Amino acid sequence: MDFSLLPQFGGLVWTLLAFVVALSVIVAIHEYGHYIVGRWCGIHAEVFSIGFGPVIWARPDKRGTVWQIAALPFGGYVKFKGDANAASVGGDGTVQTMTDAERRSTMPGAPLAARAATVAAGPVFNFIMSIAIFAVFVGIAGRATDDPVVGMLKPLPADWSTLQPGDMITAIDGVAVDTMEDVLVTASELTPATNVTYDIVRDGASLQVEATFPLVSVIDAVQPRSAAVNAGLLKGDVIKSVDGAAIHAFGQLREIVAASGGAPLNLEVWRGGETLDVTLSPRRVDLPLAEGGFETRWLIGISGGLFFELETETMGPLSAIKYGAEQTWFIVNSSLSALYHIITAQISTCNLSGPVGIAGAAADTAAMGASEFIWFIAVLSTAVGLLNLFPIPVLDGGHLVFYAYEAVRGKPPSDKTLNVMMTVGIMLMGSLMVFALMNDFLCP
C-alpha cells in the first residue's frame, strides 16, 4: 500500500493549524479593540465571537455579553446592542421602541464620536499589538552596539578559522575600522577569500591574526514561501559551494543567484558537521527599496551577515516602543507602496497573496520556531489593521467614511444607500479574494 500521501496530509494539517492560530490571535485582538472601546463609550456588546457559524462554546459574563467560539475559525465579530447584523450596518428595529437611556447603550443610538472611536479601535489595536511585539523582541534581544567587538560566534565548519568573543577589530586587511558600520562597509568591498587579516585588541594586547572572511555564506534567516524553505535550508546552514565552485562570501552567492535567470543551482551545504547536497531554483521577486519603489531580482529567500553575532546593549522601554512603531510604519508604508505598484502594473500581481499563501507563510514561520512565528503574527496584524482601514463598505474604513459623511451632512446615509454600498463592498472584497486566491495557485 502507498502511504506517500501521509506526509502531505500532515503538512496540510500543520498549515491549517498555523493559519488558524495566527488568524485567531489577530482577530481576537481586533475584535477586543471594538469591544473594549465600545464598552468605555457606553455601547453594550451582546456577542463577542471568534469564528462564524455553529457555536461550539459560549459563556455570558456579568455584563450580559456572550463570549463564544464558533465552528469556522476564519474571522470573528462583536455584535453590539441594536445592530441589525454582525457588521454593525443598520439597526435591528428595536431602537425606536427604547427609552433615551436604553438607546444610548446601542450602536445606532450612541453619539457619532463614540461610534467612530469604537469602529477605529479594531485596526488601532492591531497596530498596538504589532508595536508591542516588536518592542518586546528588541527589548529582550537588545540593540547592536556600534563598537566593532566580536560577540557570540556562529557555528562554522572546522576548517574555517574564527576570531574570539570579545576581540575588538581595529583593521581588516589593512583598512582601519572604528565602528561596526565600518566593518560592514570594508567587508563588502573586500575580494572574497578563505581568510583575511584582522588587526585586533584582545585582553588589552594588539594582535594581527588570520581569520575567516567577515561576510561568510552562513544563513542568518530563511524567508517563508521561498525556494530555500522548499529545499529545506535552515538558519545556521553554511553554503560551501554552488555548482562545484567554492563560496567564501555571501556576496558571491548573491551574484550567482542574481545571474541564474531562475536556472536550478546545486548547493553544497554544511550543517552541524554534516555536508548536504541541495538543489533549488531561484525565484523572481520584487523587493521594496529604501528610497521607494521596487527592484526585481532573482532570489532563493535567505539572508546572511557576519560570522559572529554583534554585541548588544539593552534598550529602554521608550526606545523599544519607538522601534516597534518604526517597524510597524515600515510595514504599512511598504504594503501601500506595493499595492500602488501592483495597480500601476510596475510590479507583478503575484506580490498579492491570498489565504492559501498566507497560510503557507504561517506554517513556514511556525516550523522555524516560536519567535519567528510570533514575529509573523505581528507583521500580519499590521497588514490586517491596514486592510480594515481601506474605505470599502463592510470594512472598518467604510464605516468611518459613513461617519465622516454623517459629520458633514448632519445625518447618516439612508438605509437604501447603505445597503447598496454594502453590496458593492461585498462584491469588491469577494473579487479581491478570488484574485488573490488565483495568485496562490497560479503564481510560481
Side-chain angles (χ1 to χ4, degrees):
M1 181 178 294
D2 186 3
F3 289 94
S4 60
L5 288 179
L6 287 178
Q8 297 178 14
F9 175 76
L12 176 61
V13 171
W14 176 253
T15 297
L16 288 174
L17 179 61
F19 179 59
V20 167
V21 169
L23 186 62
S24 295
V25 170
I26 292 168
V27 167
I29 292 296
H30 181 95
E31 297 303 330
Y32 186 77
H34 290 315
Y35 162 78
I36 193 63
V37 172
R39 199 180 87 186
W40 292 340
C41 292
I43 304 173
H44 175 65
E46 294 182 332
V47 178
F48 185 110
S49 180
I50 299 299
F52 298 98
V55 176
I56 299 174
W57 173 88
R59 182 184 67 83
D61 65 15
K62 62 182 180 180
R63 293 183 177 86
T65 301
V66 176
W67 299 75
Q68 66 182 39
I69 298 175
L72 302 176
F74 301 109
Y77 62 89
V78 175
K79 184 179 183 299
F80 290 102
K81 184 178 179 180
D83 284 345
N85 49 56
S88 295
V89 178
D92 61 3
T94 64
V95 177
Q96 291 75 12
T97 65
M98 296 179 182
T99 65
D100 289 344
E102 290 175 330
R103 189 179 302 114
R104 174 59 182 82
S105 66
T106 69
M107 189 67 157
L112 178 60
R115 285 178 278 145
T118 300
V119 168
V124 169
F125 268 54
N126 281 133
F127 296 141
I128 290 174
M129 182 178 80
S130 298
I131 292 171
I133 290 176
F134 295 140
V136 168
F137 265 76
V138 74
I140 294 174
R143 174 177 53 190
T145 66
D146 202 33
D147 297 326
V149 177
V150 177
M152 184 178 66
L153 298 173
K154 299 174 183 177
L156 295 173
D159 55 332
W160 293 29
S161 57
T162 64
L163 300 176
Q164 295 180 11
D167 288 347
M168 175 174 284
I169 303 171
T170 58
I172 303 177
D173 266 4
V175 179
V177 294
D178 296 317
T179 66
M180 190 55 71
E181 183 178 357
D182 292 341
V183 171
L184 294 172
V185 171
T186 301
S188 66
E189 296 173 349
L190 290 176
T191 300
T194 304
N195 290 323
V196 297
T197 302
Y198 293 85
D199 289 302
I200 63 172
V201 176
R202 179 182 297 168
D203 297 329
S206 297
L207 302 173
Q208 189 174 78
V209 297
E210 293 287 321
T212 301
F213 191 84
L215 297 171
V216 294
S217 52
V218 60
I219 299 177
D220 272 357
V222 181
Q223 301 300 317
R225 300 189 67 216
S226 64
V229 164
N230 291 347
L233 293 179
L234 303 174
K235 177 180 179 179
D237 287 351
V238 178
I239 312 299
K240 298 199 68 175
S241 70
V242 179
D243 289 338
I247 297 295
H248 303 296
F250 196 88
Q252 290 177 290
L253 176 64
R254 186 186 300 113
E255 291 174 359
I256 293 172
V257 170
S260 68
L265 300 175
N266 299 306
L267 311 181
E268 181 187 356
V269 179
W270 180 91
R271 178 185 299 167
E274 297 182 1
T275 300
L276 310 173
D277 292 321
V278 175
T279 300
L280 48 69
S281 298
R283 298 175 182 174
R284 191 172 179 175
V285 179
D286 296 309
L287 294 176
L289 299 173
E291 63 273 16
F294 283 78
E295 176 187 19
T296 301
R297 292 167 51 188
W298 291 99
L299 299 174
I300 60 176
I302 63 174
S303 58
L306 296 165
F307 65 85
F308 56 87
E309 302 288 351
L310 304 180
E311 277 203 335
T312 60
E313 59 184 2
T314 303
M315 293 184 69
L318 293 181
S319 296
I321 291 172
K322 180 175 181 289
Y323 169 84
E326 290 172 346
Q327 186 68 31
T328 300
W329 171 246
F330 172 77
I331 297 169
V332 169
N333 189 50
S334 298
S335 299
L336 291 175
S337 177
L339 185 61
Y340 169 78
H341 283 80
I342 290 174
I343 293 173
T344 56
Q346 297 182 55
I347 61 175
S348 170
T349 57
C350 288
N351 287 279
L352 182 65
S353 296
V356 174
I358 296 172
D364 288 345
T365 53
M368 295 175 193
S371 59
E372 286 81 0
F373 185 54
I374 294 172
W375 186 276
F376 170 78
I377 289 176
V379 173
L380 187 58
S381 180
T382 300
V384 169
L386 175 62
L387 175 63
N388 270 277
L389 286 178
F390 285 1
I392 299 174
V394 311
L395 296 180
D396 294 329
H399 287 281
L400 293 175
V401 170
F402 294 148
Y403 294 152
Y405 174 90
E406 182 178 347
V408 173
R409 293 295 302 273
K411 61 179 182 180
S414 66
D415 288 343
K416 181 178 180 180
T417 299
L418 284 175
N419 290 331
V420 170
M421 294 300 291
M422 292 298 291
T423 301
V424 172
I426 291 172
M427 292 175 63
L428 283 173
M429 291 303 297
S431 299
L432 179 63
M433 184 66 70
V434 170
F435 180 76
L437 194 59
M438 290 177 62
N439 279 353
D440 290 338
F441 290 103
L442 299 179
C443 291

